[in-house]
Amino acid sequence: MSKGTGLLIDHSILQERVQVQLRQRHRAEQRFKVYGILSISLAVVFIAVLFATIVNTGSSAFKQTKILLQVDLGGDQFGDNIPPKEKDIEAANFHLLTKRAIYKAFPTVTSRGGKRQLYRLLSSGAPFQLKDIVKESPDVVGKTIKVWVTASDDVDMVIKGKVPRDAGPDLRRLTNQQMGWLRELEKAGALTTKFNTTLFLSGDSREPELAGIGGALVGSFLSILVCIALALPIGVMSAVYLEEFAPKNRYTDLIEVNINNLAAVPSIVFGLLGLAIFLNMFDLPRSAPLVGGMVLSLMTLPTIIIASRASIKAVPPSIREAATALGASRVQVAFHHVVPLARPGIMSGTVIGVAQALGETAPLLMIGMVAFVVDIPGSILDAATALPVQVFLWSDIPERAFSERTAAAILILLAFTILMNLTAVILRRKFETSW
């Protein structure tokens, strides 16, 4: 009885201990779940704050302040030929025509200082806008036309609210007199904001209102084309050889380890490699998309090889065995059966690698793509910059107007990156095969 009672007591104690341990496990699971939810929530909050800050800063750059001018294109600026010839348009003084137009809007301003301040309301690119209009439509010569020209960045900042209108003269770059002229233009309906096409179609400029990312977009596009043309075939062929044909020995193990290490090497190291080989050794053109694409291909190559090998390895051995049983050679098995079935993984890995290369700045800085380039490149040999490098350049300029353009360029870069990752997901789902 006493022995049986002792066993009963031991069993109850054991059961109690098990219950205690179960409660501890359940509490640990609950804590882990809470920690996970907190971590995800914090990450979402940080990302939301980051995006909100960038959007709030950069969204205004997609609009540009314009001033309406009534420009008299008659008189002595275009010679006797109506419509004028191209040489007459090139010789015309569009700066004078622009000045006359803004002076005409405020006839009471007669002093030289006042006229100088009045003309500063306009961008330095306003005469060139007028010239482009006349070049496009020479028939307007001899008439008085209404033209929306770009305002200066100081006016743009005030109209967009980036600089408070009631701020003191020491906090804004416009004088009280210029603020008064702006109010008169607003009352007359001669001041508005329009979609900023200059941001997408123009190259870089020292004037914020004339600066655009057109050259950087084309430079990035050409660099990525070169990167894909080099990295994709070399990466896929390397993966096929290593996975299907290479003997399994210490040398292939060494190559595999080095490929995995290269995927983790800082990107600036690839920039130094490109500087030493492509520029110093082969004397290729500096600041060109050709060299930029070659450097980015070096950086993307390990990612493509690793993704392609994983995708090839995922193809079931039965596919290879069935093809071999039907008389196919090893090359035919690899390229007629394995590679087509591994294509979704290869494509998605390539897109992800290229998307990563699109946002890289450090390797491009090393090969000179940080240069100030105004013209939009026409080929892979022309001097160009890239989108992340353009962001880097603008972020270093203290002018307030460049801050919003920097944020706008970041938004466009993020949009490209998200689009490419979305493409990778769509390609994977479209061509994915279930075994």
Side-chain angles (χ1 to χ4, degrees):
M1 184 67 182
S2 61
K3 185 178 179 181
T5 305
L7 287 174
L8 185 60
I9 293 173
D10 291 341
H11 178 72
S12 62
I13 293 173
L14 181 62
Q15 189 174 14
E16 185 178 351
R17 288 179 179 176
V18 169
Q19 290 298 327
V20 170
Q21 288 180 352
L22 280 176
R23 284 195 293 272
Q24 289 177 345
R25 289 179 186 177
H26 290 161
R27 283 197 294 270
E29 288 179 2
Q30 289 296 325
R31 284 198 301 273
F32 178 77
K33 190 182 293 184
V34 170
Y35 294 154
I37 293 173
L38 282 175
S39 301
I40 293 173
S41 302
L42 282 174
V44 170
V45 168
F46 290 151
I47 292 174
V49 170
L50 174 65
F51 272 87
T53 304
I54 296 174
V55 170
N56 183 47
T57 307
S59 58
S60 58
F62 295 100
K63 286 192 171 183
Q64 182 68 41
T65 304
K66 302 283 185 179
I67 295 177
L68 182 63
L69 296 181
Q70 291 190 1
V71 185
D72 183 5
L73 294 175
D76 55 349
Q77 292 299 317
F78 298 96
D80 298 329
N81 298 316
I82 304 286
K85 296 181 179 178
E86 187 174 352
K87 64 176 184 179
D88 297 328
I89 297 175
E90 292 293 338
N93 190 344
F94 287 95
H95 288 274
L96 180 61
L97 293 174
T98 311
K99 285 180 179 178
R100 286 176 181 173
I102 189 69
Y103 296 160
K104 186 178 178 181
F106 297 92
T108 57
V109 180
T110 55
S111 66
R112 292 184 61 182
K115 287 183 176 179
R116 195 178 298 116
Q117 287 192 34
L118 193 57
Y119 190 60
R120 285 176 183 167
L121 296 179
L122 304 179
S123 166
S124 59
F128 298 99
Q129 286 181 261
L130 188 57
K131 185 177 182 179
D132 291 339
I133 292 172
V134 175
K135 274 187 173 180
E136 188 176 343
S137 304
D139 296 338
V140 298
V141 172
K143 303 176 184 176
T144 300
I145 61 172
K146 292 183 177 179
V147 184
W148 287 99
V149 297
T150 305
S152 68
D153 62 303
D154 297 327
V155 174
D156 190 45
M157 290 294 99
V158 171
I159 297 302
K160 290 177 181 175
K162 298 292 182 180
V163 176
R165 298 190 181 212
D166 54 353
D170 53 336
L171 297 178
R172 52 176 160 77
R173 299 174 63 178
L174 295 179
T175 63
N176 291 331
Q177 192 174 21
Q178 288 174 319
M179 293 296 294
W181 292 332
L182 288 184
R183 284 191 289 272
E184 290 186 32
L185 287 172
E186 282 183 314
K187 287 179 183 177
L191 194 64
T192 188
T193 56
K194 294 188 175 186
F195 182 73
N196 188 6
T197 55
T198 305
L199 180 66
F200 295 93
L201 301 180
S202 298
D204 200 2
S205 173
R206 299 295 184 195
E207 303 296 333
E209 71 276 8
L210 302 178
I213 59 169
L217 279 175
V218 176
S220 289
F221 177 72
L222 294 175
S223 299
I224 292 301
L225 276 185
V226 174
C227 173
I228 293 174
L230 292 176
L232 181 60
I234 295 175
V236 173
M237 293 299 288
S238 302
V240 171
Y241 177 76
L242 288 172
E243 201 59 42
E244 296 292 323
F245 298 99
K248 304 299 179 186
N249 53 34
R250 64 178 65 180
Y251 299 109
T252 52
D253 290 342
L254 181 65
I255 292 173
E256 184 176 350
V257 169
N258 278 286
I259 289 173
N260 293 333
N261 287 336
L262 283 174
V265 167
S267 58
I268 195 167
V269 176
F270 291 102
L272 290 168
L273 183 66
L275 174 66
I277 296 179
F278 301 136
L279 296 185
N280 296 338
M281 187 179 296
F282 294 110
D283 200 22
L284 292 175
R286 196 178 181 86
S287 306
L290 174 64
V291 180
M294 293 170 78
V295 172
L296 293 178
S297 68
L298 291 177
M299 197 191 68
T300 312
L301 203 52
T303 305
I304 295 178
I305 293 175
I306 292 171
S308 299
R309 288 191 67 186
S311 184
I312 291 170
K313 193 181 290 184
V315 177
S318 57
I319 302 292
R320 299 176 179 83
E321 294 167 358
T324 305
L326 291 175
S329 65
R330 291 186 67 184
V331 174
Q332 289 174 325
V333 170
F335 289 100
H336 294 181
H337 301 278
V338 177
V339 172
L341 292 173
R343 188 174 53 187
I346 295 173
M347 285 192 295
S348 57
T350 303
V351 173
I352 291 172
V354 171
Q356 180 190 359
L358 182 65
E360 283 295 338
T361 307
L364 302 179
L365 296 180
M366 299 306 298
I367 59 168
M369 293 192 77
V370 70
F372 178 76
V373 180
V374 177
D375 298 326
I376 296 176
S379 71
I380 58 174
L381 298 177
D382 292 342
T385 185
L387 201 51
V389 180
Q390 191 66 72
V391 172
F392 173 77
L393 285 171
W394 284 352
S395 65
D396 200 35
I397 301 177
E399 286 188 53
R400 191 191 299 264
F402 273 110
S403 298
E404 65 168 13
R405 275 157 178 77
T406 303
I410 292 173
L411 284 175
I412 295 169
L413 182 60
L414 285 174
F416 271 105
T417 307
I418 292 172
L419 184 64
M420 295 195 74
N421 283 289
L422 185 63
T423 303
V425 173
I426 292 173
L427 287 175
R428 172 176 284 278
R429 289 189 175 180
K430 184 174 182 179
F431 296 104
E432 194 171 23
T433 304
S434 301
W435 309 108

